[in-house]
Amino acid sequence: MNKYFVTSALPYANGDIHIGHLVEYIQTDIWVRLKKLLGNEVVYVCADDAHGTPVMLKAESEKTTPEELIAKMQKRHKEDFDSFYIEFDNYYTTHSQENEDLSSTIFERLKKSDLIEKKIIEQFFDEEKQMFLPDRYIVGTCPRCGALDQYGDSCEKCGATYSPTDLGMPRSALSGNIPIRKKTDHYFFKLSSKKCFDFLNEWTHGRDTLQEEARNKIREWLKKDEEGYSLLADWDISRDAPYFGFKIPGTKDKYFYVWLDAPIGYYASLMNWCSLKKKDVDEYIGKEAKVELIHFIGKDILYFHALFWPAMLHFSGFRTPTSLYAHGFLTINGKKMSKSRGTFITARAYLKKNIEAEFLRYYYASKLNGSMEDLDMNMSEFVQKVNGDLVGKFINIQSRCSGFLLRHFDGEILSQKEIVAINPIEAKLEEEIEQASEQIKEAYNLRNTSRAVKEIMRMVDQINNYIQEKKPWETAKNIENIPKTEVLVLHSVLSLALRCFGKISILLKPVIPITCNKIERDFFCCEIPFSWQDISNLRIKKIRNIGHLIKRINEDDVKNLIKVGE
């Protein structure tokens, strides 16, 4: 048994969860469920990213306090995740005492390591709003590629990171005015230092630390100039009041930048879980911790998670991540999600159309391949894949066989040993599923769920072909007039098909857990949930009539889903 501490990126507390966000949480949840199904100990945590100017300004516009706003959004986010069966062991908030204490501890330790420096800088100041402008509230021209309307910290087109004052033609996103430059003192994390560079150069080249494509991207940033100095820029980790966040110890009007305390929120959420479960948190985050720390993230936040975060942890005495798993963005029908096109679909809008949450889980699983490639949700393909694979193939096994087994054999299922005795050649179909399960497990482990789903559906096709070849309905028509040996063969055919169906349900359990739970509990009458080991030793004795397990998608509902986003 291995131990894992797993996180997904923290959703920001100023907006609802949309189906683009769900790519990451579904991907993580499938991976975590697989690990737990294999008998591993996994702690999967997340939290609302609660700080920053956007939260402060939204609370102001809604005539409420930031605390009330983030509490409301945390509740909504948790409800959305629950609706899509994202099973966190702990869902917390970055606005917590644990996070404030840990952020201060890390800051003080970095100061002792001579990695915090105070500098006088010039920042953009909006005279109308009487506030320094955060990076995301300044827009202008990218200093590297010239792209228009880029934010003040990074370019969405070329990926460059820079200081807001490097932008061309800057303007305030709050007032539309041209901001003035004003001096202020800020705290910086010395990412450009030699010891940070040397550590990161070693850490990012660890065998399992990054996907190869992510490592290649990091190489673009992790460079030295002609004189041998790091080209990494020091990181501004402070913000001026007014700001909603944690005050920096020993200051009157300086706050930790949200990007400092947000990733620390992973650890704070774990600390909260450990407190509730009476666990020693050092077993997970101490320097000598043996637990694997896995972060699932979007490729847009690779820079923060692969450079700032591990350096902060290492030089403040905490363990660093084992692996970062980055994924791409979601597009709808080949284009970016867009409110104007009606393709900006929230989790709640999706569920309002009575489309099963597990259908989205299955569709994403059929598309994700463990890389940083973008994932396209084609609505026609979505309907075809769910109706074709889940209803037309997988559940088809159960619907074709269960009625006959219930009617003629009181729902009794023959054991694998009994089936082998009747027909040893056909019984090998179960062994083929057991053999295929190793490849499927490996695909799940590599987050290549598309390959896992493809292999599972190949086995499903084999089972359906077997049923079609044996035509149990024809034998069942004349069951009263056929020899007992043929009746026994019919019982064997139905039992074998449904035993294979049970094994396939275990293989699909990380993807469609609720349906598979119904199969094991309600259909197969099992009180103890199936584990991965049951694929090679499935102990089922009886089935019962439970009606339709999955209903087909109505194409009109999917068409109307696009309209919901308008």
Side-chain angles (χ1 to χ4, degrees):
M1 181 186 74
N2 295 321
K3 291 186 177 182
Y4 299 89
F5 166 32
V6 183
T7 75
S8 295
L10 313 185
Y12 199 50
N14 72 335
D16 282 330
I17 302 298
H18 58 67
I19 63 171
H21 293 134
L22 287 172
V23 170
E24 179 172 311
Y25 302 100
I26 288 172
Q27 182 188 44
T28 316
D29 187 73
I30 289 171
W31 194 86
V32 167
R33 285 179 183 272
L34 181 276
K35 292 296 184 185
K36 289 182 176 180
L37 199 58
L38 289 167
N40 297 294
E41 183 182 310
V42 187
V43 183
Y44 176 25
V45 307
C46 196
D48 260 25
D49 185 359
H51 290 155
T53 303
V55 166
M56 180 182 73
L57 294 176
K58 184 167 184 177
E60 186 181 304
S61 71
E62 293 187 5
K63 295 180 170 53
T64 187
T65 65
E67 289 82 1
E68 289 171 338
L69 174 67
I70 63 175
K72 180 183 77 172
M73 292 310 302
Q74 184 187 12
K75 181 174 181 292
R76 285 178 67 86
H77 287 172
K78 186 61 169 61
E79 289 170 351
D80 288 341
F81 290 133
D82 287 345
S83 297
F84 284 85
Y85 314 119
I86 313 298
E87 200 172 60
F88 298 113
D89 291 287
N90 198 53
Y91 192 80
Y92 206 39
T93 174
T94 59
H95 191 63
S96 70
Q97 192 61 54
E98 294 97 332
N99 201 18
E100 184 171 14
D101 292 345
L102 191 53
S103 295
S104 297
T105 296
I106 288 175
F107 176 75
E108 294 296 343
R109 289 183 182 180
L110 293 176
K111 278 175 68 177
K112 287 181 181 178
S113 297
D114 193 31
L115 285 171
I116 300 296
E117 183 177 5
K118 198 173 183 180
K119 301 179 185 179
I120 303 295
I121 62 169
E122 272 194 340
Q123 273 200 313
F124 284 126
F125 186 82
D126 189 319
E127 293 183 290
E128 181 180 329
K129 295 292 183 180
Q130 279 298 293
M131 63 182 290
F132 285 100
L133 291 171
D135 301 345
R136 288 268 149 171
Y137 286 86
I138 309 161
V139 289
T141 304
C142 172
R144 179 188 286 181
C145 72
L148 301 175
D149 296 323
Q150 297 304 309
Y151 292 115
D153 56 350
S154 62
C155 177
E156 292 183 344
K157 186 172 182 181
C158 72
T161 58
Y162 41 73
S163 168
T165 52
D166 293 334
L167 280 174
M169 298 185 292
R171 67 181 186 280
S172 167
L174 294 178
S175 66
N177 297 333
I178 297 173
I180 65 168
R181 290 177 178 237
K182 189 173 181 180
K183 290 185 177 180
T184 182
D185 56 320
H186 272 211
Y187 292 91
F188 285 79
F189 175 56
K190 293 160 67 174
L191 192 69
S192 66
S193 65
K194 183 181 183 302
K195 60 182 177 180
C196 276
F197 184 94
D198 291 344
F199 161 72
L200 289 170
N201 193 44
E202 180 181 353
W203 184 83
T204 56
H205 285 81
R207 186 171 64 87
D208 298 318
T209 307
L210 300 167
Q211 299 134 289
E212 190 57 34
E213 56 196 320
R215 189 175 287 110
N216 290 338
K217 187 66 181 175
I218 292 297
R219 286 193 187 108
E220 296 178 17
W221 297 318
L222 205 56
K223 292 180 178 178
K224 294 182 178 180
D225 62 18
E226 293 179 355
E227 296 179 358
Y229 291 103
S230 169
L231 291 175
L232 291 173
D234 290 342
W235 182 34
D236 189 343
I237 60 169
S238 62
R239 292 296 182 266
D240 292 283
Y243 192 80
F244 180 60
F246 296 138
K247 190 170 285 188
I248 297 176
T251 69
K252 290 183 179 180
D253 59 353
K254 303 294 179 183
Y255 292 80
F256 286 126
Y257 176 40
V258 62
W259 259 109
L260 180 127
D261 66 65
I264 295 172
Y266 297 138
Y267 279 17
S269 183
L270 177 76
M271 290 171 71
N272 178 252
W273 178 84
C274 285
S275 176
L276 294 171
K277 299 293 182 180
K278 311 300 182 189
K279 300 270 189 178
D280 181 3
V281 72
D282 283 339
E283 290 182 16
Y284 297 88
I285 63 175
K287 199 78 169 179
E288 304 302 320
K290 302 300 182 185
V291 178
E292 291 193 38
L293 168 53
I294 311 293
H295 292 308
F296 283 77
I297 59 170
K299 63 183 180 181
D300 56 325
I301 54 176
L302 182 63
Y303 193 93
F304 293 97
H305 282 78
L307 297 175
F308 298 128
W309 177 231
M312 280 172 51
L313 290 172
H314 178 73
F315 290 107
S316 60
F318 292 99
R319 59 87 44 84
T320 51
T322 308
S323 300
L324 301 181
Y325 296 145
H327 61 83
F329 303 129
L330 179 74
T331 57
I332 306 289
N333 293 333
K335 297 179 180 178
K336 284 186 177 182
M337 287 187 12
S338 163
K339 289 183 179 179
S340 63
R341 295 192 195 101
T343 55
F344 187 88
I345 304 166
T346 65
R348 291 177 181 236
Y350 175 98
L351 294 172
K352 277 181 183 177
K353 301 312 298 179
N354 295 317
I355 305 172
E356 292 291 337
E358 286 191 313
F359 292 169
L360 191 69
R361 289 177 65 100
Y362 180 78
Y363 184 74
Y364 284 173
S366 75
K367 305 281 281 185
L368 287 161
N369 60 15
S371 76
M372 287 164 52
E373 293 175 1
D374 291 345
L375 180 157
D376 183 55
M377 184 172 183
N378 180 284
M379 290 301 179
S380 297
E381 182 191 39
F382 175 53
V383 173
Q384 291 166 8
K385 190 169 285 292
V386 169
N387 287 344
D389 286 2
L390 292 183
V391 183
K393 293 182 179 181
F394 173 53
I395 296 302
N396 193 43
I397 299 169
Q398 179 252 355
S399 60
R400 292 174 93 183
C401 298
S402 58
F404 298 121
L405 195 71
L406 287 162
R407 191 177 307 122
H408 301 297
F409 303 103
D410 197 30
E412 299 289 341
I413 295 178
L414 297 176
S415 68
Q416 188 173 15
K417 187 176 180 180
E418 289 171 319
I419 295 169
V420 169
I422 296 166
N423 196 329
I425 296 175
E426 292 173 7
K428 289 182 178 178
L429 186 56
E430 277 198 67
E431 294 178 17
E432 289 182 38
I433 295 174
E434 292 166 21
Q435 291 165 6
S437 71
E438 288 303 308
Q439 297 175 22
I440 292 163
K441 178 175 69 175
E442 181 63 17
Y444 274 135
N445 275 323
L446 295 172
R447 292 120 29 241
N448 192 342
T449 48
S450 62
R451 194 176 81 196
V453 165
K454 187 176 180 179
E455 184 65 14
I456 291 168
M457 284 303 137
R458 184 183 69 80
M459 299 306 305
V460 168
D461 285 338
Q462 280 191 237
I463 302 163
N464 276 307
N465 289 340
Y466 171 71
I467 297 168
Q468 188 62 35
E469 178 189 327
K470 292 300 173 181
K471 295 181 172 57
W473 49 89
E474 291 188 358
T475 308
K477 270 193 307 190
N478 301 309
I479 195 167
E480 295 176 359
N481 303 315
I482 61 175
K484 286 185 178 180
T485 53
E486 290 187 35
V487 174
L488 195 57
V489 169
L490 173 62
H491 197 180
S492 170
V493 168
L494 296 171
S495 296
L496 176 60
L498 289 172
R499 283 182 61 82
C500 290
F501 174 71
K503 294 188 175 189
I504 294 294
S505 74
I506 299 173
L507 296 174
L508 281 172
K509 200 173 179 181
V511 180
I512 50 170
I514 304 307
T515 295
C516 293
N517 287 344
K518 287 179 184 175
I519 289 169
E520 66 190 24
R521 183 187 64 241
D522 300 335
F523 181 63
F524 286 119
C525 314
C526 295
E527 294 182 5
I528 300 174
F530 292 155
S531 70
W532 195 268
Q533 286 69 33
D534 288 318
I535 295 170
S536 58
N537 187 26
L538 189 62
R539 293 176 180 151
I540 51 175
K541 296 179 179 179
K542 195 175 179 69
I543 65 166
R544 61 181 160 212
N545 187 5
I546 60 169
H548 292 293
L549 278 164
I550 298 178
K551 294 181 180 179
R552 299 174 71 85
I553 294 182
N554 185 321
E555 289 193 41
D556 288 338
D557 286 341
V558 175
K559 289 176 183 176
N560 292 333
L561 181 60
I562 300 294
K563 294 178 182 177
V564 168
E566 292 179 342

